Amino acid sequence: GAVVSQHPSRVICKSGTSVKIECRSLDFQATTMFWYRQFPKKSLMLMATSNEGSKATYEQGVEKDKFLINHASLTLSTLTVTSAHPEDSSFYICSASRGAGVVNEQFFGPGTRLTVL
Amino acid sequence: AQTVTQSQPEMSVQEAETVTLSCTYDTSESDYYLFWYKQPPSRQMILVIRQEAYKQQNATENRFSVNFQKAAKSFSLKISDSQLGDAAMYFCAYRSASSYGKLTFGQGTILTVHP
């Protein structure tokens, strides 16, 4: 149980276009989902936290208008990179939390590699 | 704000030997959780072990154990009988008990296992 999927796993797009990444909790309802960005051999950097039905909370320094997050249901959150540029190329990881139990563990998706040409 | 520090960018170990990965953290809170995650080349984050700060007993999961020193704010991971499949990047992470699940990660340690 507690499986999180991401789609697509890899995407290549042209500069100036928008890209949508989906994050789904397959066998549980996720009260909270998190979006991370990771550069090669670096740590995960939290971009934003989303709760179903409400606006996402962005970390300092993350452009809200560039990285649009929608948490439309308890099993789906989307990250849209708008007007993508080569510097947006990175590995994006989502995680989902059930909000249950003392630890409230996060379950991670397999990640999406974005390459902007 | 909480910070997590992993001072070992890279570590290596011989197969079947034991290795310890270091992690220190800084917080003013008394109630929190600590985690070690493994990220193999597939990039899938895998929870290795977790520790509740209110528990004095160190957590263990098969070949993985932690040395949790709350006063020193230290949380090291010991991997016993290392296997080739243990090769990965390991992240130490902190979560406040009062937060909604937000994790603060350390910089990571790349572990190489030599046959």
Side-chain angles (χ1 to χ4, degrees), chain A residues 21-45:
Chain A
I21 302 170
E22 291 186 348
C23 176
R24 292 182 185 273
S25 56
L26 299 184
D27 52 2
F28 67 99
Q29 293 186 325
T31 53
T32 307
M33 288 185 169
F34 303 85
W35 286 96
Y36 298 87
R37 184 173 180 176
Q38 185 182 29
F39 291 105
K41 296 188 178 181
K42 297 294 184 183
S43 187
L44 280 70
M45 183 181 70

PDB file of all heavy atoms in Angstrom, chain A residues 21-45:
ATOM      1  N   ILE A  21       2.825  18.242 -14.754  1.00  0.00           N
ATOM      2  CA  ILE A  21       3.247  16.990 -14.126  1.00  0.00           C
ATOM      3  C   ILE A  21       2.169  16.581 -13.141  1.00  0.00           C
ATOM      4  O   ILE A  21       1.726  17.387 -12.325  1.00  0.00           O
ATOM      5  CB  ILE A  21       4.591  17.158 -13.389  1.00  0.00           C
ATOM      6  CG1 ILE A  21       5.673  17.642 -14.365  1.00  0.00           C
ATOM      7  CG2 ILE A  21       5.007  15.846 -12.733  1.00  0.00           C
ATOM      8  CD1 ILE A  21       6.962  18.058 -13.666  1.00  0.00           C
ATOM      9  N   GLU A  22       1.753  15.319 -13.221  1.00  0.00           N
ATOM     10  CA  GLU A  22       0.709  14.825 -12.330  1.00  0.00           C
ATOM     11  C   GLU A  22       1.302  13.965 -11.219  1.00  0.00           C
ATOM     12  O   GLU A  22       2.241  13.205 -11.442  1.00  0.00           O
ATOM     13  CB  GLU A  22      -0.305  13.983 -13.112  1.00  0.00           C
ATOM     14  CG  GLU A  22      -1.152  14.754 -14.074  1.00  0.00           C
ATOM     15  CD  GLU A  22      -2.237  13.892 -14.697  1.00  0.00           C
ATOM     16  OE1 GLU A  22      -2.184  12.658 -14.561  1.00  0.00           O
ATOM     17  OE2 GLU A  22      -3.138  14.476 -15.334  1.00  0.00           O
ATOM     18  N   CYS A  23       0.705  14.069 -10.068  1.00  0.00           N
ATOM     19  CA  CYS A  23       1.082  13.259  -8.913  1.00  0.00           C
ATOM     20  C   CYS A  23      -0.187  12.631  -8.357  1.00  0.00           C
ATOM     21  O   CYS A  23      -1.127  13.339  -8.008  1.00  0.00           O
ATOM     22  CB  CYS A  23       1.754  14.132  -7.862  1.00  0.00           C
ATOM     23  SG  CYS A  23       2.184  13.276  -6.322  1.00  0.00           S
ATOM     24  N   ARG A  24      -0.214  11.310  -8.297  1.00  0.00           N
ATOM     25  CA  ARG A  24      -1.403  10.605  -7.832  1.00  0.00           C
ATOM     26  C   ARG A  24      -1.087   9.655  -6.681  1.00  0.00           C
ATOM     27  O   ARG A  24      -0.091   8.932  -6.723  1.00  0.00           O
ATOM     28  CB  ARG A  24      -2.023   9.781  -8.952  1.00  0.00           C
ATOM     29  CG  ARG A  24      -2.635  10.575 -10.076  1.00  0.00           C
ATOM     30  CD  ARG A  24      -3.264   9.673 -11.134  1.00  0.00           C
ATOM     31  NE  ARG A  24      -3.753  10.455 -12.271  1.00  0.00           N
ATOM     32  CZ  ARG A  24      -4.954  10.994 -12.328  1.00  0.00           C
ATOM     33  NH1 ARG A  24      -5.797  10.836 -11.329  1.00  0.00           N
ATOM     34  NH2 ARG A  24      -5.317  11.687 -13.394  1.00  0.00           N
ATOM     35  N   SER A  25      -1.929   9.664  -5.666  1.00  0.00           N
ATOM     36  CA  SER A  25      -1.855   8.643  -4.626  1.00  0.00           C
ATOM     37  C   SER A  25      -2.802   7.539  -5.069  1.00  0.00           C
ATOM     38  O   SER A  25      -3.988   7.767  -5.258  1.00  0.00           O
ATOM     39  CB  SER A  25      -2.253   9.219  -3.266  1.00  0.00           C
ATOM     40  OG  SER A  25      -3.532   9.800  -3.313  1.00  0.00           O
ATOM     41  N   LEU A  26      -2.261   6.343  -5.268  1.00  0.00           N
ATOM     42  CA  LEU A  26      -3.033   5.279  -5.923  1.00  0.00           C
ATOM     43  C   LEU A  26      -3.937   4.499  -4.974  1.00  0.00           C
ATOM     44  O   LEU A  26      -4.975   3.993  -5.388  1.00  0.00           O
ATOM     45  CB  LEU A  26      -2.083   4.318  -6.639  1.00  0.00           C
ATOM     46  CG  LEU A  26      -1.230   4.933  -7.750  1.00  0.00           C
ATOM     47  CD1 LEU A  26      -0.408   3.861  -8.448  1.00  0.00           C
ATOM     48  CD2 LEU A  26      -2.079   5.697  -8.743  1.00  0.00           C
ATOM     49  N   ASP A  27      -3.540   4.365  -3.735  1.00  0.00           N
ATOM     50  CA  ASP A  27      -4.313   3.508  -2.842  1.00  0.00           C
ATOM     51  C   ASP A  27      -4.624   4.157  -1.508  1.00  0.00           C
ATOM     52  O   ASP A  27      -4.939   3.468  -0.532  1.00  0.00           O
ATOM     53  CB  ASP A  27      -3.585   2.176  -2.633  1.00  0.00           C
ATOM     54  CG  ASP A  27      -2.140   2.385  -2.210  1.00  0.00           C
ATOM     55  OD1 ASP A  27      -1.718   3.543  -2.045  1.00  0.00           O
ATOM     56  OD2 ASP A  27      -1.430   1.377  -2.054  1.00  0.00           O
ATOM     57  N   PHE A  28      -4.539   5.474  -1.466  1.00  0.00           N
ATOM     58  CA  PHE A  28      -4.929   6.175  -0.251  1.00  0.00           C
ATOM     59  C   PHE A  28      -5.303   7.603  -0.607  1.00  0.00           C
ATOM     60  O   PHE A  28      -4.963   8.113  -1.685  1.00  0.00           O
ATOM     61  CB  PHE A  28      -3.816   6.142   0.792  1.00  0.00           C
ATOM     62  CG  PHE A  28      -2.583   6.932   0.417  1.00  0.00           C
ATOM     63  CD1 PHE A  28      -2.386   8.220   0.917  1.00  0.00           C
ATOM     64  CD2 PHE A  28      -1.621   6.384  -0.410  1.00  0.00           C
ATOM     65  CE1 PHE A  28      -1.255   8.936   0.576  1.00  0.00           C
ATOM     66  CE2 PHE A  28      -0.484   7.088  -0.754  1.00  0.00           C
ATOM     67  CZ  PHE A  28      -0.296   8.372  -0.259  1.00  0.00           C
ATOM     68  N   GLN A  29      -6.009   8.233   0.288  1.00  0.00           N
ATOM     69  CA  GLN A  29      -6.375   9.631   0.096  1.00  0.00           C
ATOM     70  C   GLN A  29      -5.331  10.510   0.772  1.00  0.00           C
ATOM     71  O   GLN A  29      -5.046  10.345   1.958  1.00  0.00           O
ATOM     72  CB  GLN A  29      -7.766   9.898   0.674  1.00  0.00           C
ATOM     73  CG  GLN A  29      -8.862   9.183  -0.101  1.00  0.00           C
ATOM     74  CD  GLN A  29     -10.252   9.567   0.384  1.00  0.00           C
ATOM     75  OE1 GLN A  29     -10.454   9.799   1.572  1.00  0.00           O
ATOM     76  NE2 GLN A  29     -11.196   9.667  -0.533  1.00  0.00           N
ATOM     77  N   ALA A  30      -4.786  11.415  -0.018  1.00  0.00           N
ATOM     78  CA  ALA A  30      -3.707  12.260   0.467  1.00  0.00           C
ATOM     79  C   ALA A  30      -4.253  13.619   0.894  1.00  0.00           C
ATOM     80  O   ALA A  30      -4.718  14.393   0.064  1.00  0.00           O
ATOM     81  CB  ALA A  30      -2.651  12.440  -0.614  1.00  0.00           C
ATOM     82  N   THR A  31      -4.188  13.880   2.164  1.00  0.00           N
ATOM     83  CA  THR A  31      -4.656  15.181   2.640  1.00  0.00           C
ATOM     84  C   THR A  31      -3.693  16.284   2.248  1.00  0.00           C
ATOM     85  O   THR A  31      -4.093  17.423   2.022  1.00  0.00           O
ATOM     86  CB  THR A  31      -4.801  15.177   4.173  1.00  0.00           C
ATOM     87  OG1 THR A  31      -3.555  14.740   4.745  1.00  0.00           O
ATOM     88  CG2 THR A  31      -5.889  14.218   4.619  1.00  0.00           C
ATOM     89  N   THR A  32      -2.443  15.940   2.157  1.00  0.00           N
ATOM     90  CA  THR A  32      -1.422  16.921   1.811  1.00  0.00           C
ATOM     91  C   THR A  32      -0.453  16.318   0.805  1.00  0.00           C
ATOM     92  O   THR A  32      -0.084  15.151   0.928  1.00  0.00           O
ATOM     93  CB  THR A  32      -0.624  17.369   3.060  1.00  0.00           C
ATOM     94  OG1 THR A  32      -1.532  17.805   4.067  1.00  0.00           O
ATOM     95  CG2 THR A  32       0.329  18.510   2.715  1.00  0.00           C
ATOM     96  N   MET A  33      -0.084  17.132  -0.177  1.00  0.00           N
ATOM     97  CA  MET A  33       0.938  16.716  -1.138  1.00  0.00           C
ATOM     98  C   MET A  33       2.030  17.761  -1.186  1.00  0.00           C
ATOM     99  O   MET A  33       1.778  18.953  -0.980  1.00  0.00           O
ATOM    100  CB  MET A  33       0.338  16.500  -2.525  1.00  0.00           C
ATOM    101  CG  MET A  33      -0.517  15.237  -2.607  1.00  0.00           C
ATOM    102  SD  MET A  33      -1.096  14.938  -4.294  1.00  0.00           S
ATOM    103  CE  MET A  33      -1.745  13.286  -4.144  1.00  0.00           C
ATOM    104  N   PHE A  34       3.229  17.298  -1.431  1.00  0.00           N
ATOM    105  CA  PHE A  34       4.392  18.173  -1.447  1.00  0.00           C
ATOM    106  C   PHE A  34       5.103  18.054  -2.789  1.00  0.00           C
ATOM    107  O   PHE A  34       5.159  16.970  -3.372  1.00  0.00           O
ATOM    108  CB  PHE A  34       5.380  17.773  -0.338  1.00  0.00           C
ATOM    109  CG  PHE A  34       4.795  17.764   1.047  1.00  0.00           C
ATOM    110  CD1 PHE A  34       4.115  16.650   1.519  1.00  0.00           C
ATOM    111  CD2 PHE A  34       4.924  18.866   1.876  1.00  0.00           C
ATOM    112  CE1 PHE A  34       3.573  16.632   2.794  1.00  0.00           C
ATOM    113  CE2 PHE A  34       4.390  18.860   3.155  1.00  0.00           C
ATOM    114  CZ  PHE A  34       3.711  17.741   3.614  1.00  0.00           C
ATOM    115  N   TRP A  35       5.663  19.160  -3.234  1.00  0.00           N
ATOM    116  CA  TRP A  35       6.441  19.163  -4.472  1.00  0.00           C
ATOM    117  C   TRP A  35       7.873  19.604  -4.161  1.00  0.00           C
ATOM    118  O   TRP A  35       8.101  20.627  -3.512  1.00  0.00           O
ATOM    119  CB  TRP A  35       5.821  20.097  -5.507  1.00  0.00           C
ATOM    120  CG  TRP A  35       4.570  19.538  -6.109  1.00  0.00           C
ATOM    121  CD1 TRP A  35       3.286  19.787  -5.731  1.00  0.00           C
ATOM    122  CD2 TRP A  35       4.495  18.626  -7.203  1.00  0.00           C
ATOM    123  NE1 TRP A  35       2.415  19.075  -6.511  1.00  0.00           N
ATOM    124  CE2 TRP A  35       3.126  18.362  -7.430  1.00  0.00           C
ATOM    125  CE3 TRP A  35       5.441  18.006  -8.016  1.00  0.00           C
ATOM    126  CZ2 TRP A  35       2.677  17.497  -8.440  1.00  0.00           C
ATOM    127  CZ3 TRP A  35       5.004  17.160  -9.018  1.00  0.00           C
ATOM    128  CH2 TRP A  35       3.632  16.903  -9.228  1.00  0.00           C
ATOM    129  N   TYR A  36       8.808  18.779  -4.660  1.00  0.00           N
ATOM    130  CA  TYR A  36      10.225  19.039  -4.454  1.00  0.00           C
ATOM    131  C   TYR A  36      10.933  19.171  -5.793  1.00  0.00           C
ATOM    132  O   TYR A  36      10.512  18.610  -6.806  1.00  0.00           O
ATOM    133  CB  TYR A  36      10.890  17.887  -3.687  1.00  0.00           C
ATOM    134  CG  TYR A  36      10.368  17.644  -2.297  1.00  0.00           C
ATOM    135  CD1 TYR A  36       9.277  16.812  -2.068  1.00  0.00           C
ATOM    136  CD2 TYR A  36      11.000  18.216  -1.187  1.00  0.00           C
ATOM    137  CE1 TYR A  36       8.810  16.572  -0.792  1.00  0.00           C
ATOM    138  CE2 TYR A  36      10.541  17.973   0.097  1.00  0.00           C
ATOM    139  CZ  TYR A  36       9.460  17.147   0.281  1.00  0.00           C
ATOM    140  OH  TYR A  36       9.000  16.900   1.555  1.00  0.00           O
ATOM    141  N   ARG A  37      12.045  19.852  -5.730  1.00  0.00           N
ATOM    142  CA  ARG A  37      12.929  19.957  -6.889  1.00  0.00           C
ATOM    143  C   ARG A  37      14.297  19.440  -6.455  1.00  0.00           C
ATOM    144  O   ARG A  37      14.741  19.716  -5.336  1.00  0.00           O
ATOM    145  CB  ARG A  37      13.033  21.416  -7.329  1.00  0.00           C
ATOM    146  CG  ARG A  37      13.840  21.641  -8.577  1.00  0.00           C
ATOM    147  CD  ARG A  37      13.719  23.086  -9.014  1.00  0.00           C
ATOM    148  NE  ARG A  37      14.487  23.323 -10.232  1.00  0.00           N
ATOM    149  CZ  ARG A  37      14.511  24.468 -10.894  1.00  0.00           C
ATOM    150  NH1 ARG A  37      13.816  25.504 -10.444  1.00  0.00           N
ATOM    151  NH2 ARG A  37      15.232  24.582 -11.979  1.00  0.00           N
ATOM    152  N   GLN A  38      14.927  18.680  -7.339  1.00  0.00           N
ATOM    153  CA  GLN A  38      16.227  18.123  -6.989  1.00  0.00           C
ATOM    154  C   GLN A  38      17.188  18.241  -8.159  1.00  0.00           C
ATOM    155  O   GLN A  38      16.894  17.787  -9.267  1.00  0.00           O
ATOM    156  CB  GLN A  38      16.095  16.649  -6.588  1.00  0.00           C
ATOM    157  CG  GLN A  38      17.402  16.045  -6.095  1.00  0.00           C
ATOM    158  CD  GLN A  38      17.280  14.580  -5.739  1.00  0.00           C
ATOM    159  OE1 GLN A  38      16.463  13.853  -6.301  1.00  0.00           O
ATOM    160  NE2 GLN A  38      18.087  14.129  -4.796  1.00  0.00           N
ATOM    161  N   PHE A  39      18.348  18.832  -7.910  1.00  0.00           N
ATOM    162  CA  PHE A  39      19.407  18.896  -8.899  1.00  0.00           C
ATOM    163  C   PHE A  39      20.316  17.693  -8.712  1.00  0.00           C
ATOM    164  O   PHE A  39      20.337  17.085  -7.626  1.00  0.00           O
ATOM    165  CB  PHE A  39      20.175  20.215  -8.771  1.00  0.00           C
ATOM    166  CG  PHE A  39      19.347  21.407  -9.184  1.00  0.00           C
ATOM    167  CD1 PHE A  39      18.811  22.264  -8.238  1.00  0.00           C
ATOM    168  CD2 PHE A  39      19.108  21.661 -10.523  1.00  0.00           C
ATOM    169  CE1 PHE A  39      18.040  23.356  -8.613  1.00  0.00           C
ATOM    170  CE2 PHE A  39      18.335  22.750 -10.910  1.00  0.00           C
ATOM    171  CZ  PHE A  39      17.800  23.594  -9.951  1.00  0.00           C
ATOM    172  N   PRO A  40      21.080  17.326  -9.750  1.00  0.00           N
ATOM    173  CA  PRO A  40      21.919  16.122  -9.676  1.00  0.00           C
ATOM    174  C   PRO A  40      22.824  16.107  -8.447  1.00  0.00           C
ATOM    175  O   PRO A  40      23.517  17.082  -8.146  1.00  0.00           O
ATOM    176  CB  PRO A  40      22.741  16.183 -10.966  1.00  0.00           C
ATOM    177  CG  PRO A  40      21.870  16.932 -11.910  1.00  0.00           C
ATOM    178  CD  PRO A  40      21.162  17.960 -11.071  1.00  0.00           C
ATOM    179  N   LYS A  41      22.762  15.004  -7.735  1.00  0.00           N
ATOM    180  CA  LYS A  41      23.584  14.761  -6.545  1.00  0.00           C
ATOM    181  C   LYS A  41      23.370  15.829  -5.469  1.00  0.00           C
ATOM    182  O   LYS A  41      24.274  16.081  -4.661  1.00  0.00           O
ATOM    183  CB  LYS A  41      25.062  14.659  -6.922  1.00  0.00           C
ATOM    184  CG  LYS A  41      25.369  13.466  -7.818  1.00  0.00           C
ATOM    185  CD  LYS A  41      26.845  13.285  -8.018  1.00  0.00           C
ATOM    186  CE  LYS A  41      27.114  12.047  -8.870  1.00  0.00           C
ATOM    187  NZ  LYS A  41      28.562  11.810  -9.072  1.00  0.00           N
ATOM    188  N   LYS A  42      22.214  16.423  -5.470  1.00  0.00           N
ATOM    189  CA  LYS A  42      21.889  17.419  -4.463  1.00  0.00           C
ATOM    190  C   LYS A  42      20.665  16.981  -3.674  1.00  0.00           C
ATOM    191  O   LYS A  42      20.029  15.982  -3.983  1.00  0.00           O
ATOM    192  CB  LYS A  42      21.610  18.781  -5.123  1.00  0.00           C
ATOM    193  CG  LYS A  42      22.807  19.358  -5.851  1.00  0.00           C
ATOM    194  CD  LYS A  42      23.925  19.711  -4.895  1.00  0.00           C
ATOM    195  CE  LYS A  42      25.071  20.383  -5.639  1.00  0.00           C
ATOM    196  NZ  LYS A  42      26.217  20.671  -4.729  1.00  0.00           N
ATOM    197  N   SER A  43      20.360  17.753  -2.662  1.00  0.00           N
ATOM    198  CA  SER A  43      19.247  17.405  -1.801  1.00  0.00           C
ATOM    199  C   SER A  43      17.913  17.806  -2.423  1.00  0.00           C
ATOM    200  O   SER A  43      17.870  18.503  -3.438  1.00  0.00           O
ATOM    201  CB  SER A  43      19.411  18.095  -0.448  1.00  0.00           C
ATOM    202  OG  SER A  43      18.431  17.638   0.459  1.00  0.00           O
ATOM    203  N   LEU A  44      16.844  17.378  -1.805  1.00  0.00           N
ATOM    204  CA  LEU A  44      15.509  17.769  -2.227  1.00  0.00           C
ATOM    205  C   LEU A  44      15.189  19.141  -1.653  1.00  0.00           C
ATOM    206  O   LEU A  44      15.375  19.386  -0.460  1.00  0.00           O
ATOM    207  CB  LEU A  44      14.468  16.767  -1.734  1.00  0.00           C
ATOM    208  CG  LEU A  44      14.314  15.476  -2.515  1.00  0.00           C
ATOM    209  CD1 LEU A  44      15.509  14.578  -2.342  1.00  0.00           C
ATOM    210  CD2 LEU A  44      13.038  14.761  -2.115  1.00  0.00           C
ATOM    211  N   MET A  45      14.692  20.000  -2.510  1.00  0.00           N
ATOM    212  CA  MET A  45      14.320  21.330  -2.079  1.00  0.00           C
ATOM    213  C   MET A  45      12.815  21.459  -2.165  1.00  0.00           C
ATOM    214  O   MET A  45      12.231  21.323  -3.245  1.00  0.00           O
ATOM    215  CB  MET A  45      14.988  22.382  -2.968  1.00  0.00           C
ATOM    216  CG  MET A  45      14.726  23.816  -2.555  1.00  0.00           C
ATOM    217  SD  MET A  45      15.509  24.996  -3.655  1.00  0.00           S
ATOM    218  CE  MET A  45      14.521  24.794  -5.132  1.00  0.00           C
TER     219      MET A  45
END
